[in-house]
Amino acid sequence: MAETKGSVETRLKKELQTVVKKILEDEDYGFQTTIEAIRILSSLAEFKMKKPLLGEIMGDIVVLASTQTYDRPHMKKWFKECNLTWPPSQQELHQDADAKASTEIDLTYLNSLLEMLSSSVPDRKRAAKELRRLTKNTKSYKAALCEFSNAISRLLSPLMETKTESDPDLQEDLITTVFNASLHGNNKKQLAENPVVIPLLIESIMVGTIETRRNAAATLGSLSELDSNKFVIGNSGAVAPLLELLHEGHPSAIKDVVLAIFNLCMVRENKAKFVEKGAVEVILQKINDGLFVDELLVILAMLSTNRTAIDELGDCKTLQSLLQIIRHSSSECSKENCVAILYNVCSKDLTLLMVIRAEEIRKQTLTKLAYMGTTRAKRKAIGIISRIHRAFPAISIGKCF
């Protein structure tokens, strides 16, 4: 139900009383409380003049450095209509005024929130939640967070000052804010090169709420989209924590972990690190559990070019599992990666080739794939059958190949 003029004025006065009382009685009232008082006073002033901004009480309030308050949707509407003056101030506006105003608003408000992170614990919590919200919903805040001087270090300072697990909710909001910022392409290099970011992300993968751990992994995945960051993250100690989180198999986290591992494994040096830390065993376990089979088979195929990984994949149970996926999976992607793994595994090992040959004689799995698979799957299947023919010419399988 719409408020009457009297009820609006009464509500604003009560809100002002509450805020003023907080300012007078609480020494740690914080910068945000001051902004709230200014907002209420401005609304009351406009109400008393009977000239509400563009005819309505403001909803989405923005505060400029001058402490003037404006309603964001109406401001944008006014600019889009190509008006050359802004009614409350009669300032002359240029064509790019919207962009300039947004920049000023973003940086002013952003700075106030960053200042609150160095204030009392309640202010820290409020600022962290607001930064998380803003960087999730507004592209300009994602960008501004890395453009503003020392913003990232100031953002993460509460986690540097105390152990991350001391306040799980604060940790979650701050790490999620970093994740939101990482989604802006121009931020990826700067975030990865900041000396506090990756160590805190790694720590947060190991300790925190599952949402924190998930978003820390997702941030590493986002940052590792940049090729240069793949090396930085791979050398930072992130491999073992990512594999541990994958091993735990939290449903809400596994997708983000898999993406991070995939991005990192695109670098040969990182493949070796993951294999050394036990990635093959962990991935096979999750595939057998039926979790993210398509995605994990892609990673396993990438790892199967590593000599140590080939040795780990070269047991009868694994080979039979891969052949079974080829026979029964409805996913062409899974079939393609399974046969790619088999191709790499049997490339120089006649014993393994004999195992595949015996399976092929009974069920013609690869022969069928050579007829009906994807282009890559056909090529790999034909390659394996050809190796069988060369190694064991007396055995007749897949004659047309």
Side-chain angles (χ1 to χ4, degrees), residues 210 213-215 217 245 249-258 292:
I210 189 57
R213 300 175 70 196
R214 167 195 177 185
N215 287 337
L245 189 53
H250 293 284
S252 62
I254 192 168
K255 180 178 180 181
D256 296 293
V257 179
V258 168
F292 288 85

Side-chain angles (χ1 to χ4, degrees), residues 38 74 89 98 114 136 138 152 202 231 261 270 272 275 319 340:
I38 293 171
H74 290 152
S89 63
D98 190 17
L114 292 171
K136 176 183 178 181
T138 311
I152 294 300
I202 293 172
F231 294 95
I261 294 174
N270 288 342
V275 171
L319 296 184

Side-chain angles (χ1 to χ4, degrees), residues 306-318:
N306 177 276
R307 182 69 259 181
T308 303
I310 289 174
D311 293 339
E312 293 183 44
L313 290 165
D315 65 89
C316 294
K317 183 178 180 181
T318 298

Side-chain angles (χ1 to χ4, degrees), residues 167-196:
D167 193 333
D169 292 337
L170 178 64
Q171 178 194 13
E172 180 182 315
D173 288 332
L174 295 178
I175 292 298
T176 304
T177 299
V178 176
F179 166 67
N180 293 339
S182 76
L183 297 177
H184 193 285
N186 294 338
N187 292 346
K188 296 184 188 295
K189 182 176 176 64
Q190 189 173 343
L191 285 170
E193 291 179 350
N194 187 299
V196 305

